[in-house]
Amino acid sequence: MSDLITVDLVELDLPGQDRKAATAALANRLAKEGRVTDVEGFLADVRAREEQLPTGIEGGIGIPHARSAHVTTPSLAFGRCADGVDFGASDGPADLVFLIAAPDGEGAEHMTILASLARRLVHDSFKNALRTAPTPDAVVTLIEKEVLGR
Amino acid sequence: MKLVAVTSCPTGIAHTYMAAEALEQAAEAAGHEIAVETQGAAGATALTAEQIAAADAVVFAADVDVRDKERFEGKPTVTGSVKRAINDAAGLITEAVDASKNASKHAAPASPPPARAQNVALGFGSRLRQWLMTGVSYMIPFVAAGGILIALSFVIGGAEIAVMVDGGTFQGTEYPGVASLSDLFSEAGIAGVMYKIGSLAFEMLVPILAGFIAFGMADRMGIAPGVVGGLIAVEIEAGFLGGLVAGLLAGAVTMALKQIKVPRGVSGIMPVVVIPLLSVFVVGFIMIVVAGGPIASVQSALTGWLGGLAGVNAVLLGALLGAMMGFDLGGPVNKVAYLFGTAALASSNLTVMAAVMAAGMVPPLGLALATVIRRKLFSQQERQAGEAAWLLGLSFITEGAIPFAAADPLRVIPSTVVGGAAAGATSMAVGSTLMAPHGGIWVIGLIGNPLGYLLAIVVGSAVTCGVVVAAKHVGRSPAEPSPQAEASTRQAVAA
């Protein structure tokens, strides 16, 4: 199985302000890597989830996500945004954006990886390390260490 | 203090787990033990009965319905959104601790944990009930919409509207039926259109029931085999009981297929191709090949047997036909009795048809009556179904009773059988006659001795009501949540 995240899926300088633009920028990275087959279709699925309930979490986190038929490999695209992007959290915009893409279908083991990623997201130490990671490489190493334990 | 929690969110890949982690951290920080069941896409590791029994309080952090919630019945419970759990886990934990203290202050009689074997058996019983209720809850809108449309079409267009649309004979007039839907409005008017829409909605009752029973058991993967199995149940005239079988079968087959471990490379196509293909085929094969034949032969045996009863006492025949009408509410046995009635009508024996229709009106009426006089015995959904059932019963749409019978067949079917028999026997005893094959109260002008006929319906409905109320008190152990309690916890979570 290919990795959850690679350096090509990290964007340390995400365009600010607009939720749609930020999500689309990350989705395009997924598409370029062949992890998403249809960017528009995938974004529609993400939007549908976002409309149910905004995915912003207090502490500067946005986690747009979807299980979608347009996803081939469970993937994480990570973006950092100095200006902040509003994901509907009560305490303001998010500076860490995690776009989680999961293939449609059930019972697959790879869902556990996404689950352990989600669990890490509530830890301040993890969030702070991501804020200060100097390079995409450092981000990937950090996530692999924390989420996959390697 | 010992706590348990369930987390659950719409997509099941992010918030479910974040909430679980946050609750675990907060509980640990406050010096409590907690076990969290994450009902997400990675599959839930269920809390054990021991963990739940030992817990002092329960936390639900859920934006969608918590599955199998009745396991936590009687525990002090706090409820919040998953976001609340992520942002303010410590607050939720504190509330749970307080709830537990309050509960013990009021000295709730701590029921001793039941013996393990019994516990497991109970668990299956209430899970079964929950699966059936899932199917019923998705079916009820079809019953209400279709049934009321058909009833209104009778009111507007007269009872002959059914044969005008479908073809057949009504009061000696031969109708060819409407061949093409595009001519329906011009030939049969608005009543004909309403009748057709209602009939089509009714054809979906059993497929939807079966599909969503399977959905309750095996999630989305269960819908395809369930719906297809339900369509076949309609095709082989197995009625709603056939639909229950198809739904449970489809759920079980899909659950089994999901258990199969396959190599990674193949696992991607399992949910997309393999499981749908195999489950639909297996369920369809069993329904057609294994179930279809016996049902057809039972029907023809019953028809032959009824035909041989020509000389039997009329009241007895009425009771028998009435019982058959109430047995499966539009299923194979009901059909045999109904066709016997229409055959008698064709040979100008008008009392048999009258008995059959009276008995067919009783099940929805009797159950609607029961939901009014003993509200607490029925879930909120059943009470809503009861409101529509009045009109359906008056219109001789026996299917109005299906939501009740499908949710709790062992208690409801006896009541509709006995009530139907009482109505059929009374109708025969008072010598009522009927010159139409359907129409319910709307063909009262074609009924001979209408007062006696109304008496038959009232007697039958009262009997059904009495039996179902008594039956609902039987065999429901205290551990099984009453529908009332279930409904109120559901509302609490939604709030």
Side-chain angles (χ1 to χ4, degrees):
Chain A
M1 183 164 36
S2 37
D3 291 329
L4 177 68
I5 186 167
T6 66
V7 285
D8 296 315
L9 299 179
V10 177
E11 183 150 352
L12 294 183
D13 215 357
L14 209 55
Q17 308 309 332
D18 180 24
R19 194 189 306 195
K20 251 193 210 154
T23 312
L26 291 175
N28 282 323
R29 285 182 174 263
L30 290 172
K32 225 154 124 201
E33 298 298 304
R35 290 161 181 258
V36 164
T37 51
D38 173 359
V39 177
E40 288 312 314
F42 172 65
L43 282 174
D45 290 335
V46 172
R47 222 159 26 238
R49 169 62 185 84
E50 200 74 28
E51 276 160 13
Q52 268 182 301
L53 270 179
T55 59
I57 300 291
E58 282 174 32
I61 307 275
I63 41 167
H65 62 280
R67 291 162 79 179
S68 165
H70 309 298
V71 176
T72 57
T73 318
S75 304
L76 167 68
F78 170 75
R80 215 160 62 186
C81 175
D83 301 334
V85 188
D86 178 30
F87 273 94
S90 53
D91 67 344
D95 62 335
L96 302 179
V97 181
F98 301 82
L99 177 62
I100 303 177
D104 212 353
E106 302 167 61
E109 291 161 44
H110 50 240
M111 292 295 180
T112 54
I113 296 172
L114 296 179
S116 70
L117 166 71
R119 281 175 173 273
R120 296 315 297 167
L121 290 180
V122 300
H123 291 264
D124 285 337
S125 59
F126 182 55
K127 287 184 275 190
N128 290 334
L130 284 172
R131 285 197 173 99
T132 51
T135 61
D137 226 2
V139 168
V140 170
T141 311
L142 180 68
I143 290 174
E144 285 188 340
K145 178 166 146 284
E146 292 266 348
V147 175
L148 306 173
R150 64 183 187 207
Chain B
M1 193 162 282
K2 287 188 170 152
L3 305 171
V4 291
V6 178
T7 62
S8 175
C9 68
T11 323
I13 62 178
H15 292 74
T16 299
Y17 300 96
M18 296 174 72
E21 186 79 10
L23 286 170
E24 285 169 8
Q25 284 200 317
E28 198 187 331
H32 304 297
E33 269 183 58
I34 192 167
V36 184
E37 177 175 313
T38 49
Q39 296 186 346
T45 311
L47 292 164
T48 65
E50 287 80 8
Q51 280 173 323
I52 296 171
D56 298 300
V58 182
V59 179
F60 291 137
D63 292 339
V64 292
D65 253 1
V66 170
R67 288 199 293 269
D68 300 332
K69 203 190 294 165
E70 75 284 351
R71 291 174 294 168
F72 306 99
E73 193 70 23
K75 293 272 175 193
T77 301
V78 295
T79 308
S81 65
V82 281
K83 273 203 177 170
R84 165 100 203 275
I86 295 167
N87 293 331
D88 181 26
L92 265 180
I93 296 289
T94 310
E95 277 178 32
V97 171
D98 290 347
S100 161
K101 285 181 185 152
N102 282 338
S104 49
K105 218 183 287 169
H106 295 300
S111 54
R116 198 181 157 72
Q118 192 193 352
N119 203 11
V120 171
L122 250 184
F124 181 77
S126 43
R127 271 167 75 196
L128 181 64
R129 187 182 146 78
Q130 214 176 26
W131 295 334
L132 297 182
M133 273 314 292
T134 304
V136 168
S137 66
Y138 285 94
M139 174 185 66
I140 284 176
F142 290 83
V143 180
I148 294 173
L149 278 170
I150 293 174
L152 288 179
S153 77
F154 287 163
V155 177
I156 297 171
E160 60 268 37
I161 197 70
V163 284
M164 280 176 70
V165 174
D166 292 338
T169 315
F170 188 90
Q171 285 236 282
T173 313
E174 182 92 26
Y175 292 90
V178 178
S180 162
L181 272 192
S182 54
D183 302 329
L184 186 60
F185 187 64
S186 56
E187 288 183 25
I190 187 67
V193 172
M194 290 167 84
Y195 175 78
K196 187 71 192 179
I197 299 171
S199 307
L200 288 172
F202 257 38
E203 280 180 26
M204 288 306 293
L205 293 192
V206 172
I208 291 293
L209 175 67
F212 283 89
I213 287 172
F215 170 71
M217 296 171 73
D219 261 341
R220 280 182 298 176
M221 301 260 71
I223 293 182
V227 167
V228 173
L231 284 169
I232 296 170
V234 173
E235 198 80 3
I236 63 176
E237 303 201 331
F240 86 95
L241 288 173
L244 291 188
V245 171
L248 293 171
L249 182 67
V253 167
T254 311
M255 281 162 102
L257 288 171
K258 279 163 85 171
Q259 297 298 320
I260 297 173
K261 290 262 175 278
V262 293
R264 278 251 170 90
V266 194
S267 72
I269 63 164
M270 283 298 281
V272 188
V273 180
V274 179
I275 294 180
L277 177 66
L278 286 180
S279 61
V280 169
F281 175 73
V282 169
V283 172
F285 184 87
I286 294 175
M287 290 299 292
I288 292 177
V289 177
V290 182
I295 288 175
S297 48
V298 165
Q299 275 190 311
S300 66
L302 276 175
T303 307
W305 180 65
L306 278 179
L309 288 178
V312 82
N313 172 293
V315 173
L316 194 62
L317 181 65
L320 183 64
L321 288 169
M324 290 172 71
M325 288 300 288
F327 176 68
D328 53 3
L329 314 170
V333 176
N334 168 292
K335 280 231 167 69
V336 168
Y338 178 72
L339 288 177
F340 186 80
T342 55
L345 178 68
S347 57
S348 302
N349 180 343
L350 306 180
T351 53
V352 172
M353 190 65 232
V356 163
M357 187 166 91
M361 293 168 70
V362 156
L365 290 175
L367 291 163
L369 183 62
T371 62
V372 172
I373 66 166
R374 283 293 156 82
R375 286 173 58 81
K376 290 193 173 168
L377 290 175
F378 296 91
S379 71
Q380 197 182 352
Q381 286 169 334
E382 285 173 318
R383 292 200 295 267
Q384 284 164 357
E387 283 162 19
W390 287 111
L391 180 59
L392 305 196
L394 287 175
S395 307
F396 182 37
I397 299 170
T398 317
E399 285 85 346
I402 291 180
F404 301 92
D408 195 4
L410 295 181
R411 294 193 183 87
V412 171
I413 290 178
S415 78
T416 55
V417 166
V418 179
T426 312
S427 170
M428 282 294 205
V430 301
S432 282
T433 58
L434 171 62
M435 292 187 287
H438 53 247
I441 204 74
W442 315 110
V443 292
I444 191 96
L446 303 176
I447 292 170
N449 186 7
L451 283 182
Y453 200 67
L454 288 180
L455 176 73
I457 292 168
V458 170
V459 167
S461 303
V463 169
T464 291
C465 175
V467 173
V468 78
V469 166
K472 290 268 183 190
H473 282 110
V474 174
R476 178 172 280 154
S477 70
E480 189 178 338
S482 74
Q484 184 75 356
E486 233 171 67
S488 58
T489 36
R490 191 171 306 130
Q491 278 162 353
V493 168

